[in-house]
Amino acid sequence: MTKLSYLHEPGVLQNLSTRYQTNEIYTYTGSILIAVNPFQRLPHLYDGHMMEQYKGAPLGELSPHVFVIADVAYRAMINEGKSNSILVSGESGAGKTETTKMLMRYLAYLGGRKGTEGRTVEQQVLESNPVLEAFGNAKTVRNNNSSRFGKFVEIQFDKHGRISGAAIRTYLLERSRVCQISDPERNYHCFYLLCAAPPEEIEKYKLGDPKSFHYLNQSNCYQLADVSDAHEFLATRRAMDIVGISQKEQEAIFRVVASILHIGNIQFAKGKEVDSSVLKDDKSKFHLQTTAELLMCDAVALEDALLKRVMVTPEEVIKRSLDPDGATVSRDGLAKTIYSRLFDWLVDKINVSIGQDPNSKTLIGVLDIYGFESFKTNSFEQFCINFTNEKLQQHFNQHVFKMEQEEYTKEEIDWSYIEFVDNQDVLDLIEKKPGGIVALLDEACMFPKSTHETFSQKLYQTFKSHKRFIKPKLSRTDFTIAHYAGEVLYQSDQFLDKNKDYVIPEHQDLLSASKCSFVSGLFPPIQEETNKSSNKSSKFSSIGSRFKLQLQQLMETLNSTEPHYIRCVKPNNVLKPAIFENVNVMQQLRCGGVLEAIRISCAGYPTRKTFFEFLNRFTLLAPDALEGNNDEKAACRKILEKMGLKGFQIGKTKVFLRAGQMAELDGRRAEKLNTAAKVIQRKTRTHITRKQFLALQKAAISVQSLCRGRLAQKLFDSMKREAAALKIQTSLRKHLARVNYLKLNSLVLVLQTGLRAMAARNEFRYKKQMKAAIIIQAYWRGHRASSYYKKLIRSSIVTQCRWRGRLARRELRKLKMEARETGALKEAKDKLEKQVEELTWRVQLEKRLRTDLEEAKAQEIEKLQNSLQEMQSKIDEANNLLLKEREAAQKAIEEASSIIKETPVPVEDTEKIEAMTLEMENLKTSLHSEKERADDIEKKYREAIESTEEKSKKLEEVEKRNRQLQESLTRLEEKVNNIESENKVLRQQALNMAQQTKLHSGRSRSIIQRTESQKSNLDLHSPSMNSRDQLEVEERPQKSLNEKQQEYQDLLIRCIAQHLGFSKGRPVAACMIYKCLRQWRSFEVERTSIFDRVIQTIGQAIETQDNNDTLAYWLSNVSTLLLLLQCTLKAGGAAGVAPQYRRTSSASLFGRMTLSFRGTPQGVNLSAANRGGTGGSYNLGQVDAKYPALLFKQQLTAYVEKIYGMIRDNLKKEISPLLGLCIQAPRISRASLLKGTARTLANAAAQEVLIAHWQGIVKSLVNFLNILKNNFVPPFLVRKVFTQIFSFINVQLFNSLLLRRECCSFSNGEYVKAGLAELEHWCYRATDEYTGSAWDELKHIRQAIGFLVIHQKPKKTLDEISHDLCPVLSIQQLYRISTMYWDDKYGTQSLSSDVISNMRVLMTEDSNNAVSSSFLLDDDSSIPFSVDDLSKSMDQIDIADIEPPPLIRENSGFSFLLPVVD
């Protein structure tokens, strides 16, 4: 915006508004990015393609974007080796969090590296957002999800520029919100999420409705619009699992949250002693006990910690009781301390989970912090927030001024007179020591008797002469500070309480001694100091001082980095797109410092042009400036001086202009160009017009002379001919007239005589015949009328009896068939129940056998192990004895060798050795046998394990089958119930028809009797005649009401016959029909004609099958109406009511409406009585439907299927010719290639022509999909249509491939493969929502084409082809393709002869199978869905706010269709 001709507030607003209306939400102000929240998804701005475009692009080269700021920061960090920071600011709801997410996403794209468990650092940071939002966000006046803390995300990079770690720093959690909230705000989300947890969680923590807790019921807002706390609770638990918080830690966290709610319900009353307090009632004792159980501490100690204080003096330790107010303050302090420690623990846990890199030298920090706040009531939190924004504004001003200074210094121009506004005086007012507001607040908090009144008086005395501090006239405790964004009035009532941050020693000792390690970890023991006075002084700490220290650390971090600024703007307060409020945006720009940056820019030289750009644009203002001069700088100076501009400066490479000078130069340039254009146009038009006039004048004179001569000649000739002709005609006409007259006179006399005689004879003959015929007709008609009358009476009686009997027999036959079907379903149900019981018994038996087998195996293994150990010990003992015996024998032999000369060795030792040797061999044999036995046992053990695994698998299969049977049993029960209810309705209908038959037969007999006694006298005063007159009198209002109802129905039918369109994606006609039928109670009557008229209207509308738009419109309406009926109608309404032939007026539809007509005066809205206090939402409760309503539902189902089939067949007809062209295209392509082989351009053009057929199919699909989308056809039906269309394409192409050898070629395969790629690309663009599994329907043609285009076919085996390449194709189809294949491009061969012979053998084996002998595919034209599938796939429809058309809206009888306004 610094390049605007007029750089001021209206120009800035106009620029932002114009860009916002075209979804250009990003705008530069120098290097500052302004982001306006669009309040809608713009995915095209943030996809991978956009990231690739902005990668490495310098600032200003492409359109403004948040990616540019991130890229500039990253490039600066890589090139300069210096850390950078991005400051994202704005008020609540301006989109700061989303902007932060986009920044981290782009930084991860530039320096992304896999994190732990396959997640990047950016993903880990984003996954921690739900946890931080649950515990740190709350509903405020301006935003439903406002962050009540500041956040600074440090993304660390290694020396290669890759992300190596991250950390989250938080600032100033709003602790006071735990105990105090104002209407209509809410407390932190976690409290409401826990109250909406599953029942077992609520019971475990002894929670209830949020209205029952003091910390939550201070506001009347408990639920957020369109947000389910129960779903958010589960999402938060999942986010905790992802972050790395264990289940044990999660349980401890929610125990702590629940304990805070219970702490808030502890109330105190005055005790018996002075200034003492006790628990108020049993409810408070219950909450105290529950708190102690949740925190795992002593209840008595907790009570003492809340009600008493320990004072340590040099002489003794004194226990002091607290009054109820002091105990309440102690209670709230404990709750705030616990919640603050819990939030700090969560932040530390998240940082540990993400991981930091200690070796990182550079980082990019993203600061997501609250903007300037000014409400009706501003407390300590707003004071700290605005203090932060003052600091950031000072940093922002210094940075902007620094950039201006660098630019002017680089160009070597004079900039010393530019004024720089600093807000240091406001910062000194707040943070200066010892006289700042924060210091005075800490001083007041250290004195026990200080109040907010004394604190305010201290401020008034200290800053009475300060220009930024204002004392209100009508308040003794409020004060006003003039911030950079405007004056803010602060209420100091809660300043002292909210500033105190010390932990009470009794609370510290109590929670440190908790048996829960998590709670005790939140309160580690404080190291005791020898000096008690220093210990006492160290107890006090304040929020203000701690926040000032954190802010100082943040500013040091920002000052050590290169800052980049993003200012988020909220265009409106209703949070809706396409609304731009100028006053609101201007206030935000002022608060964000954008206007200050523009003012700094305007104070200097906002317009800067290079010499080349300036000369290229403005040389025409002074053409003589470049004559004989090549110095661009001097030429620019001449032009500016000639124009009379002052205050500009000439730099080394640029021209610097003051605000408004650029617009003045553009105006003069446009004026000069306009004057020159007018002169050129005037001269050119004069020359052209004169040239045309002279040529036209010369041609006109020549044409006029020729035409006049020719006309005079023709006139003379015509006059001569006319005179001669008149003379000839006169003589000839006279002669001819005389001859004709004489001849005609004689002929007329003869004809008159003959005709008059013949006419007289004919008239006499006709009168005679007429008289005889009249006599015969009279006798014959009398006889015929009498006979016909008697015969008609007899035949009508016989026909009526036979027809009624036939109808009764037909109904009886239907009822018997339905009874049989119901019985069969019940038998199937019983069989399935028996199978389920048998399978359950088998599963239990298998489990029992498995358990016994495992126990027996364990015992046997234990015995074998013991026996092995015993045998091993025996073997060891035997080896030891053997060694000892050998040593003894050796010694004996050595001793005896010197004594024995010729005498033999004594026999005893030798026998011992032999015995020992024999025993050794026996032991070895037994050892070998034991080893073999152990091997056998181990082998049996492995076999037993394998058999156990097999049995466990079988057991799982049985359990799975058992579940499936149970599900099928449940579905069968539902079907049986529906059939039984419909059966009851049909039985009731049959009874009605039977009774009506009897009544009609009685009437027919009475008619016969009356006919026979026609000549008898009638008694006009009989009782029957009197009763008939009374009935006629009663039925007159009924008839008038029927006529009125008929008028309403006619108006409805006339209205729905028109195209009513859609309202927010909902068809108006369907919703209007449903509401009328529901209002008139048409579903509950046994006779009505409205259903047939609606069906007839729909049938007439879809008679023209070629109009897909009309068919799609009615498909959307009929499916929506069917869904509404599916949710509403319930069969079985007339099962137990005895039918009557003659209904009373109150029992029928019109009788029920009579009550409402008679109960309301004329002109009153008739629908008001039937509409309850719905409050604007329409009730879709179920009603007991009669037979006409059920029949209407079945007719709608039939029309849905019919319209669906018509739409599908129309699309098939449209693409069939194109499919034929696609199949024939390869021959055309080969002919064109043979004619012009050397012309590559011609070949490329031919390929484009060939692919055009496929593009025609895609175009048809696109147009068809647009029609369905525009008419809001349910996506479920759209998916079914395209699935069958792709199946049709698959069948047509595949069958043509098998039937035509010229299509089974290599080039045709390449061509069809390219066409299939076009279809696949269309499926990707249309998304799965509308295509579903349509692409999978092309599996036959895809695999067949894949076979045609593969190389080295002779090397392929039958197994590779049938299992890997073409698993869907049968052997007959593979054999057909392989034998018909020919390579017209490379001349290669098909499959090897061995593979072909193997295929032939397999085909011979399958020759007896009738199914496998067919190699062609069949097209499936059935309806691939049911009503239940359609109703499950469609969402619930809200029809309350549907606006009726003007024709209906003007009629008072349809006022129930108008939306209800609360």
Side-chain angles (χ1 to χ4, degrees), residues 314-341:
E315 292 82 11
E316 59 180 346
V317 177
I318 302 172
K319 278 192 174 183
R320 180 175 63 87
S321 298
L322 299 175
D323 57 0
D325 294 337
T328 303
V329 173
S330 175
R331 177 199 69 186
D332 294 343
L334 176 61
K336 291 189 288 187
T337 303
I338 293 175
Y339 194 82
S340 176
R341 295 289 181 90

Side-chain angles (χ1 to χ4, degrees), residues 523-543:
F523 292 87
I526 301 175
Q527 297 180 358
E528 297 184 358
E529 298 180 7
T530 56
N531 190 355
K532 294 182 180 180
S533 62
S534 63
N535 187 17
K536 182 177 179 181
S537 64
S538 66
K539 289 182 181 179
F540 176 77
S541 64
S542 67
I543 294 289

Side-chain angles (χ1 to χ4, degrees), residues 611-832:
F611 294 152
F612 175 76
E613 292 175 350
F614 186 83
L615 292 175
N616 189 32
R617 185 171 182 82
F618 298 112
T619 303
L620 58 90
L621 295 177
D624 55 346
L626 289 175
E627 293 180 358
N629 187 7
N630 295 326
D631 188 3
E632 293 181 343
K633 184 174 182 179
C636 292
R637 186 181 297 277
K638 285 183 180 179
I639 293 173
L640 291 170
E641 289 175 352
K642 186 175 181 180
M643 293 296 105
L645 299 181
K646 297 181 180 180
F648 65 88
Q649 292 207 33
I650 306 295
K652 295 174 67 177
T653 61
K654 295 180 181 179
V655 176
F656 291 82
L657 302 177
R658 287 286 190 181
Q661 292 181 343
M662 188 67 182
E664 184 179 353
L665 290 174
D666 284 333
R668 295 188 182 182
R669 178 176 179 271
E671 183 181 354
K672 191 163 186 177
L673 289 175
N674 191 19
T675 303
K678 289 178 180 178
V679 173
I680 295 171
Q681 289 175 353
R682 185 171 65 250
K683 296 294 184 183
T684 305
R685 287 171 182 168
T686 301
H687 174 72
I688 293 172
T689 305
R690 177 166 180 76
K691 186 176 180 182
Q692 291 176 350
F693 172 75
L694 293 176
L696 186 62
Q697 186 182 25
K698 184 177 180 181
I701 293 171
S702 302
V703 170
Q704 284 176 357
S705 61
L706 291 175
C707 290
R708 287 169 181 164
R710 184 63 178 167
L711 287 174
Q713 185 180 0
K714 286 184 177 181
L715 181 60
F716 177 74
D717 293 339
S718 64
M719 290 173 69
K720 285 174 67 177
R721 291 195 193 94
E722 187 177 356
L726 284 175
K727 290 181 181 179
I728 296 170
Q729 287 175 359
T730 303
S731 302
L732 182 60
R733 285 172 182 168
K734 182 174 68 175
H735 174 72
L736 291 176
R738 176 70 179 167
V739 172
N740 289 335
Y741 173 76
L742 295 175
K743 189 184 296 184
L744 183 62
N745 190 15
S746 61
L747 291 175
V748 166
L749 291 175
V750 176
L751 286 174
Q752 285 179 351
T753 303
L755 289 175
R756 286 170 182 167
M758 186 175 64
R761 287 191 295 269
N762 289 338
E763 184 178 0
F764 174 77
R765 193 183 303 111
Y766 173 76
K767 287 182 179 179
K768 188 176 180 180
Q769 291 176 355
M770 182 63 68
K771 185 176 181 181
I774 289 171
I775 294 171
I776 295 170
Q777 286 177 356
Y779 283 104
W780 168 247
R781 286 173 180 167
H783 173 72
R784 187 180 62 178
S786 178
S787 302
Y788 178 76
Y789 177 72
K790 294 177 182 178
K791 188 187 295 182
L792 183 63
I793 290 176
R794 287 195 299 271
S795 61
S796 62
I797 294 172
V798 174
T799 304
Q800 286 176 355
C801 294
R802 289 182 179 177
W803 177 251
R804 289 166 184 160
R806 183 180 178 184
L807 289 178
R809 285 192 294 274
R810 186 183 299 170
E811 291 296 328
L812 181 61
R813 194 158 49 249
K814 286 183 180 179
L815 292 174
K816 286 182 179 180
M817 291 175 64
E818 291 172 357
R820 289 195 200 101
E821 291 176 358
T822 307
L825 287 174
K826 286 185 177 179
E827 290 178 3
K829 175 185 174 184
D830 296 336
K831 288 181 181 179
L832 287 174

Side-chain angles (χ1 to χ4, degrees), residues 1129-1266:
L1129 299 188
K1130 178 177 66 175
V1137 182
Q1140 296 180 358
Y1141 173 71
R1142 189 173 184 84
R1143 296 189 300 261
T1144 61
S1145 61
S1146 61
S1148 64
L1149 167 66
F1150 306 111
R1152 286 194 299 271
M1153 292 187 66
T1154 306
L1155 300 176
S1156 61
F1157 275 113
R1158 292 177 179 175
T1160 55
Q1162 187 175 5
V1164 179
N1165 186 3
L1166 298 176
S1167 65
N1170 292 329
R1171 180 187 298 171
T1174 57
S1177 63
Y1178 201 83
N1179 184 16
L1180 291 179
Q1182 291 191 343
V1183 298
D1184 293 334
K1186 302 295 182 181
Y1187 177 75
L1190 296 176
L1191 180 61
F1192 179 57
K1193 177 183 171 185
Q1194 294 176 359
Q1195 290 173 336
L1196 285 179
T1197 304
Y1199 265 105
V1200 169
E1201 296 176 354
K1202 180 179 179 181
I1203 299 172
Y1204 170 88
M1206 293 166 65
I1207 291 176
R1208 178 196 61 200
D1209 296 340
N1210 286 344
L1211 184 55
K1212 286 183 180 180
K1213 293 177 184 177
E1214 185 176 349
I1215 66 174
S1216 292
L1218 295 174
L1219 284 176
L1221 294 175
C1222 291
I1223 295 168
Q1224 298 172 4
R1227 292 186 297 175
I1228 302 171
S1229 66
R1230 284 194 297 273
S1232 62
L1233 291 175
L1234 288 173
K1235 291 176 183 177
T1237 309
R1239 301 176 63 185
T1240 56
L1241 294 177
N1243 291 342
Q1247 291 295 333
E1248 290 181 359
V1249 172
L1250 294 177
I1251 207 67
H1253 303 317
W1254 291 96
Q1255 291 174 353
I1257 295 177
V1258 172
K1259 185 177 180 181
S1260 299
L1261 295 176
V1262 170
N1263 295 336
F1264 196 74
L1265 178 58
N1266 291 333

Side-chain angles (χ1 to χ4, degrees), residues 204-205 248 251-253 255-256 259 288-302 509-520:
K204 180 168 64 175
Y205 300 131
K248 184 177 179 181
E251 182 183 357
I253 289 170
R255 275 196 290 103
V256 171
S259 67
L288 179 72
Q289 184 66 32
T290 305
T291 303
E293 292 175 359
L294 292 174
L295 294 177
M296 295 186 183
C297 61
D298 187 16
V300 178
L302 176 60
D509 298 338
L510 172 70
L511 297 177
S512 297
S514 173
K515 296 178 182 179
C516 177
S517 59
F518 181 82
V519 177
S520 60

